[in-house]
Amino acid sequence: MSDVLVLVGPGLAADEALLGEIAEREFAALGVRGVITHVRDAADVRARTRPRQGTSPAPIPATTPAGAPGRENGSGHVRTPAAGDGGLARRRGARVQATVIIPGPEEDIRRLMGESLGLVVWLDIWRADGIVVGEGAAHIHGRGLGGLAWAIRHAVHRLRHPYHRISYGPHHEQWADLYLPAEARTGASQEEMSRRKASRERAVPIEAGASEGLVREGEIPSMRVVSPEGVQERVGSSAEAGREVVGALLEGGEVAVPASEGALAPLPVRVPVVVLVHGGYWRSVWAADLMDALGADLVERGFAVWNLEYRRPDLHGWEVATADVAAGLDALASAGAPLDLGRVAVVGHSAGGQLALRAAADGARVSLAVSLAGVLDLVEGDRRWLSSGAVAVALGTVASHMPDIAGGVPGNATSRERSVADGHEVARSVYGAASPMLRLPLGVRQLIVQGSGDDLDLLDFGRRYAKAAHDAGDDVKYLEMVGDHFSVITPDTPIWRATALSITEALR
């Protein structure tokens, strides 16, 4: 059985060989076994996405336990349970694949997008706004054939890394995925976690009511369950105890494992938090999956990660996007996890760099604001037609190209002159609040990271912003190294490793 299944619907206007080449490259890069195949209709899709019994001798390698599909609990939070350490998600004894479905134009298949088919990433190679997919699924759209690579990466990421999806508003794009390092989940050191993993004897899948999970027999004599309300209970190592543990995890609780019979291990430690704000020039075709790899790397470094999604201004307006980022940051306080809210960094990439620094300027409770190839001068960004006019489209107005009129508009001004002046005033107000360059000093420690091989305008913005921030009295560090626009969010690059070290030093 393959680790990744890519299903292609009928009628898709794309070269089959090219789809196969894209998929094979991603399978090889991720170290997974994959299959790309065509489906006839909706019934064929259902049959191929049904969980299959049994296990595979070659699990997907993972540095952290895999996550099974999420479900929504009574609090409105979507929780994703952690599965066993084998690197594979399991559901009631069945192996769960990472599945990508390219539905194409056929309506019978597209109607399945709203159903719960498990761990599925739906991919539209064209733009398809407003689609709400079923429980446990994701939707990527508008990225052309290159979107297939992103969809495969995201599907495998979700299979490998456990997370909690937490809503901070009623809209389907108002959420954040919370990833916790091992010490925050159990209170145990990395050495202790490794010892337990080596001592496990065998896995026994169980059912826990409506939940899904995996317990290990012969591992520990007893456990302590900490509910979301903080109530502590000692339970045994029976199957019933396993159900209690899984239930606690699904409902937001944590499990502390005693080192020996009669002794309780420390409760989960509070860990520093990195909030990730994705970029994409404020366009809705780009989403939080852009930050998947960075999130996984930061969790391995001992940080909790809050990967924030927000409504983009091309569909919802500038004020909505800004308010969502602020609300998403505020929601950390009610996440129900062992987070050290005194050590929070907000890290934004590209357009997300602007949003991150804007949030810091607006008073977000963060210790560090980080821009990764950020758009930090919006006035010049609009004047230079950055990304085909993305700045003006996002903010809803062009930057003012005229100097301020001393004393306001003359009393004898014509209606056209007054209209023009009003437009300039609106632009000055919007850009003045939004552009990090115009908000200095921020009064927050900052890290400005820029690849030397990136867009020359972004390189210019980063250098000038860092100098201006320093001159304004801010505590700012400028880091420029070899790399392009995506090197700063690619974990194995020197520029990201240097960035991660700087974040670690700032928060510890």
Side-chain angles (χ1 to χ4, degrees):
M1 180 178 176
S2 62
D3 299 316
V4 184
L5 178 63
V6 179
L7 303 179
V8 182
L12 186 72
D15 181 74
E16 293 183 16
L18 183 55
L19 287 174
E21 292 167 15
I22 296 168
E24 288 298 331
R25 281 198 299 267
E26 286 306 311
F27 297 155
L30 295 167
V32 299
R33 299 176 304 164
V35 172
I36 181 168
T37 187
H38 290 260
V39 290
R40 298 182 303 275
D41 50 30
D44 198 6
V45 172
R46 283 198 179 94
R48 293 176 183 271
T49 55
R50 184 179 303 118
R52 301 181 183 182
Q53 299 297 318
T55 61
S56 168
I60 297 178
T63 54
T64 60
R71 67 183 183 90
E72 188 167 328
N73 63 24
S75 67
H77 294 349
V78 177
R79 301 289 187 182
T80 301
D85 284 334
L88 291 172
R90 301 183 186 280
R91 185 167 58 193
R92 299 187 184 182
R95 162 96 174 269
V96 179
Q97 285 179 311
T99 304
V100 174
I101 304 177
I102 313 176
E106 296 297 322
E107 284 301 319
D108 65 330
I109 296 180
R110 297 192 68 82
R111 278 193 289 268
L112 295 179
M113 297 175 79
E115 297 185 10
S116 180
L117 298 180
L119 193 67
V120 170
V121 176
W122 292 92
L123 171 64
D124 279 314
I125 61 176
W126 54 75
R127 182 157 182 166
D129 294 317
I131 291 178
V132 181
V133 294
E135 184 179 305
H139 182 229
I140 291 174
H141 70 103
R143 306 182 195 178
L145 286 185
L148 178 56
W150 289 105
I152 292 171
R153 293 172 202 164
H154 187 50
V156 172
H157 171 84
R158 296 175 75 216
L159 195 66
R160 286 176 170 172
H161 302 285
Y163 65 93
H164 303 280
R165 177 157 295 182
I166 299 177
S167 301
Y168 62 86
H171 194 272
H172 67 91
E173 290 180 331
Q174 290 178 296
W175 53 262
D177 283 344
L178 175 63
Y179 298 85
L180 295 174
E183 54 265 38
R185 295 196 300 268
T186 67
S189 66
Q190 290 292 340
E191 292 78 12
E192 176 66 11
M193 294 296 292
S194 299
R195 184 192 64 79
R196 290 177 190 159
K197 181 178 180 181
S199 67
R200 287 174 179 150
E201 296 180 2
R202 63 190 181 92
V204 180
I206 62 166
E207 292 185 20
S211 65
E212 301 161 355
L214 192 71
V215 295
R216 304 274 177 173
E217 285 190 348
E219 181 188 2
I220 51 175
S222 62
M223 292 166 280
R224 177 168 59 186
V225 176
V226 183
S227 71
E229 293 75 26
V231 178
Q232 301 178 14
E233 299 177 1
R234 179 185 290 277
V235 297
S237 58
S238 63
E240 182 60 30
R243 295 187 179 94
E244 292 182 47
V245 170
V246 172
L249 287 169
L250 288 173
E251 297 304 325
E254 304 294 337
V255 179
V257 184
S260 62
E261 182 65 52
L264 291 177
L267 288 172
V269 297
R270 295 192 177 276
V271 292
V273 188
V274 176
V275 179
L276 299 178
V277 185
H278 70 83
Y281 282 110
W282 309 281
R283 293 174 177 132
S284 295
V285 298
W286 297 103
D289 66 284
L290 287 173
M291 308 298 272
D292 282 349
L294 220 58
D297 180 82
L298 286 163
V299 169
E300 290 180 14
R301 296 175 185 272
F303 295 100
V305 171
W306 185 252
N307 192 12
L308 182 64
E309 188 56 277
Y310 56 93
R311 290 172 289 179
R312 269 71 84 213
D314 59 340
L315 295 181
H316 302 283
W318 182 248
E319 294 302 323
V320 168
T322 301
D324 273 5
V325 173
L329 281 162
D330 288 344
L332 270 175
S334 57
L339 308 177
D340 185 346
L341 298 182
R343 294 186 292 165
V344 177
V346 58
V347 178
H349 174 239
S350 192
Q354 175 272 322
L355 291 168
L357 268 59
R358 161 74 187 269
D362 286 344
R365 293 178 55 191
V366 298
S367 306
L368 177 69
V370 182
S371 166
L372 307 175
V375 188
L376 304 183
D377 186 341
L378 296 184
V379 174
E380 281 302 305
D382 179 47
R383 287 173 174 170
R384 301 181 194 184
W385 201 242
L386 198 66
S387 187
S388 303
V391 175
V393 171
L395 272 66
T397 182
V398 297
S400 174
H401 294 269
M402 294 176 61
D404 291 346
I405 301 175
V409 182
N412 61 350
T414 66
S415 60
R416 182 179 181 279
E417 289 172 336
R418 289 182 180 277
S419 176
V420 170
D422 289 345
H424 290 319
E425 186 59 39
V426 169
R428 280 192 290 271
S429 175
V430 173
Y431 281 78
S435 180
M437 185 71 83
L438 299 178
R439 295 297 300 274
L440 293 171
L442 303 191
V444 175
R445 189 175 185 181
Q446 297 159 64
L447 173 63
I448 310 302
V449 182
Q450 185 61 56
S452 59
D454 200 351
D455 183 296
L456 291 176
D457 290 311
L458 294 180
L459 184 60
D460 171 60
F461 297 167
R463 289 182 180 182
R464 287 194 298 108
Y465 177 87
K467 183 179 184 302
H470 177 268
D471 291 346
D474 275 342
D475 181 357
V476 59
K477 176 180 178 180
Y478 181 68
L479 176 63
E480 181 181 313
M481 295 176 63
V482 173
D484 59 23
H485 195 60
F486 287 96
S487 298
V488 294
I489 58 170
T490 302
D492 61 356
T493 60
I495 191 170
W496 168 249
R497 289 196 293 268
T499 300
L501 179 60
S502 293
I503 294 173
T504 301
E505 291 174 347
L507 293 186
R508 291 186 174 174

